[in-house]
Amino acid sequence: MVEQQLIKAAQSGDRDALITLLREIETHVYRTAYYILGNEQDAKDAAQEALIRIYTKINSYEEKAQFKTWVQRIVTNICIDKFRRTKATVSIEEHNMVFTSAGSVEDELMSAYVAKDIQEAIELLPEHHRAVVVLRYLQDFSYNEIADSLDLPLNTVKSYLFRARQQLQSLLRDYQKGGVRG
């Protein structure tokens, strides 16, 4: 994701290196925030807060952990805090996922319904389950990277993923039967 030389330069005070570093990670930070929080405005706020925190705390990063897990820990913690503060008012926005297909308009419409229902199902998960699902399936983190990012034991990560998959399966049962919820 990010070269160690760029990180070292940023830590030694090279402002251009730090800006380059932040630009390289901003899309990943926003994507994580969006999938955890479920709406664009909150995700933008959380991503901005995470980037500012990374900017101000870059010197506290140590090579004991991978840089991407350090970054994900920051953004995930900010999102969880924001989610807890606004839990009662979290709105579900239309998610504009694009599925590329050479199929018909019906296929594209069905894909849009599927994407919307999957996003809504993820939003219904408890925050700790949502975080591990986002990191595993949307950010493609390994179990160990998730454990490092969320500061959880490996077995807890596995347990959360198992339970989250069960919950998603239950929420999306209509698709297993060939139906749509829309």
Side-chain angles (χ1 to χ4, degrees), residues 117-118 121-122 125 133 161-177 181:
D117 283 353
I118 290 172
I122 290 171
L125 294 173
V133 165
L161 276 170
F162 177 78
R163 289 186 185 120
R165 282 190 299 262
Q166 284 182 319
Q167 289 172 317
L168 286 171
Q169 187 175 19
S170 175
L171 290 166
L172 297 169
R173 189 166 292 131
D174 292 339
Y175 290 109
Q176 293 173 345
K177 296 175 183 168
R181 293 181 346 164

Side-chain angles (χ1 to χ4, degrees), residues 64 66 69 85 105 117 146:
K64 292 186 282 187
Q66 290 184 26
T69 59
R85 287 191 304 263
V105 174
D117 283 353
I146 296 169

Side-chain angles (χ1 to χ4, degrees), residues 99-119:
F99 286 85
T100 57
S101 69
S104 68
V105 174
E106 285 179 2
D107 291 341
E108 289 179 27
L109 185 58
M110 186 62 119
S111 292
Y113 278 123
V114 170
K116 183 176 183 294
D117 283 353
I118 290 172
Q119 177 62 31

Side-chain angles (χ1 to χ4, degrees), residues 108-144:
E108 289 179 27
L109 185 58
M110 186 62 119
S111 292
Y113 278 123
V114 170
K116 183 176 183 294
D117 283 353
I118 290 172
Q119 177 62 31
E120 287 176 0
I122 290 171
E123 290 174 12
L124 293 173
L125 294 173
E127 62 194 50
H128 53 280
H129 289 172
R130 184 186 310 183
V132 295
V133 165
V134 167
L135 293 177
R136 178 70 183 133
Y137 298 109
L138 302 174
Q139 297 292 350
D140 202 29
F141 272 42
S142 71
Y143 289 177
N144 287 328

Side-chain angles (χ1 to χ4, degrees), residues 28-55:
H28 299 286
V29 168
Y30 171 78
R31 187 179 308 140
T32 298
Y34 183 85
Y35 280 106
I36 291 175
L37 296 171
N39 72 63
E40 186 177 351
Q41 193 57 49
D42 286 345
K44 285 180 180 179
D45 291 346
Q48 181 177 1
E49 188 177 335
L51 290 170
I52 290 169
R53 190 164 303 162
I54 292 163
Y55 178 86

